[in-house]
């Protein structure tokens, strides 16, 4: 570019309006993307936060499930089943999706008996007399990506939910 200003008597510096407009637009888009990521993180959508847990209950409220709607592939997460006013012994039918793509690791308390059914696995827990609320925690480590539909049943009520697994 002849006729542009020189810097240190060496380089001619010009002004390119098209480049400057595109650069300004790229900066604005970058700021919006960063603001979006920070807002998602603050809301708990990228980890622990106010929206990082959900609870679903069976009709009648006999059982409910507390879970993380977004889980990470290969990272341990917990699914908690609340059984209200259980009858002894407690029997839970765990969907096959929790066993395979969700990578079922263990249950707390440890089931006293397990049996395989066509639609999942029955876990039987003995309970202490007089318990009005029993918690069963399942540790899972997802091995699949995307939405994984699951359900758990105690024979009287069923809870259906899904978890989204990200890489």
């Amino acid at each position: 570019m002849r006729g542009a200003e020189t810097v240190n008597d060496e380089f001619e510096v010009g002004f390119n309006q098209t480049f400057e407009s595109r650069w300004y637009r790229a900066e604005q888009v970058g700021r919006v993307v960063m603001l979006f990521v920070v807002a998602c993180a603050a809301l708990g959508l990228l980890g622990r936060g106010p929206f990082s847990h959900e609870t679903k209950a069976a009709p009648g409220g006999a059982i409910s499930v507390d879970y993380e709607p977004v889980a990470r592939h290969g990272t341990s997460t917990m699914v908690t089943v609340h059984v209200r006013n259980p009858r002894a012994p407690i029997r839970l039918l765990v969907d096959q999706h929790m066993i395979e793509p969700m990578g079922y690791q263990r249950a707390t308390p440890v089931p006293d008996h397990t049996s395989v059914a066509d639609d999942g696995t029955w876990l039987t827990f003995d309970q202490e007399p007089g318990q009005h609320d029993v918690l069963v925690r399942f540790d899972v480590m997802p091995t699949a990506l995307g939405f994984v539909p699951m359900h758990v049943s105690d024979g009287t009520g069923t809870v259906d939910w899904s978890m989204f697994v990200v890489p």
Side-chain angles (χ1 to χ4, degrees):
M1 293 176 45
R2 295 286 172 215
E5 297 178 24
T6 60
V7 176
N8 295 336
D9 295 321
E10 295 177 8
F11 298 107
E12 292 183 355
V13 179
F15 179 78
N16 186 337
Q17 181 63 42
T18 305
F19 172 79
E20 292 294 330
S21 296
R22 288 181 182 166
W23 185 257
Y24 179 76
R25 184 73 178 146
E27 285 179 345
Q28 296 301 321
V29 169
R31 289 179 183 145
V32 168
V33 169
M34 286 188 288
L35 187 64
F36 177 75
V37 170
V38 168
C40 287
L43 293 174
L45 299 176
L46 302 178
R48 307 283 186 244
F51 297 112
S52 64
H53 283 279
E54 266 189 49
T55 301
K56 296 268 180 139
I63 63 172
S64 62
V65 176
D66 183 38
Y67 64 98
E68 295 181 14
V70 179
R72 291 198 51 115
H73 178 270
T75 302
S76 182
T77 187
M78 189 176 297
V79 175
T80 304
V81 178
H82 301 264
V83 182
R84 288 171 182 73
N85 299 321
R87 53 181 203 271
I90 300 168
R91 296 187 71 217
L92 293 176
L93 176 64
V94 177
D95 185 21
Q96 190 64 30
H97 287 108
M98 190 180 297
I99 308 297
E100 291 295 327
M102 287 307 289
Y104 170 76
Q105 301 290 312
R106 67 182 160 271
T108 305
V110 176
D112 296 307
H113 179 69
T114 59
S115 60
V116 177
D118 289 337
D119 50 352
T121 302
W122 282 100
L123 305 174
T124 305
F125 303 90
D126 286 333
Q127 70 175 25
E128 295 179 22
Q131 282 186 305
H132 297 289
D133 192 17
V134 176
L135 299 177
V136 178
R137 291 186 169 94
F138 296 102
D139 291 325
V140 296
M141 187 177 296
T143 59
L145 294 175
F147 282 101
V148 179
M150 294 183 285
H151 75 268
V152 67
S153 174
D154 68 346
T156 61
T158 300
V159 178
D160 295 307
W161 77 97
S162 63
M163 293 176 72
F164 184 66
V165 181
V166 297

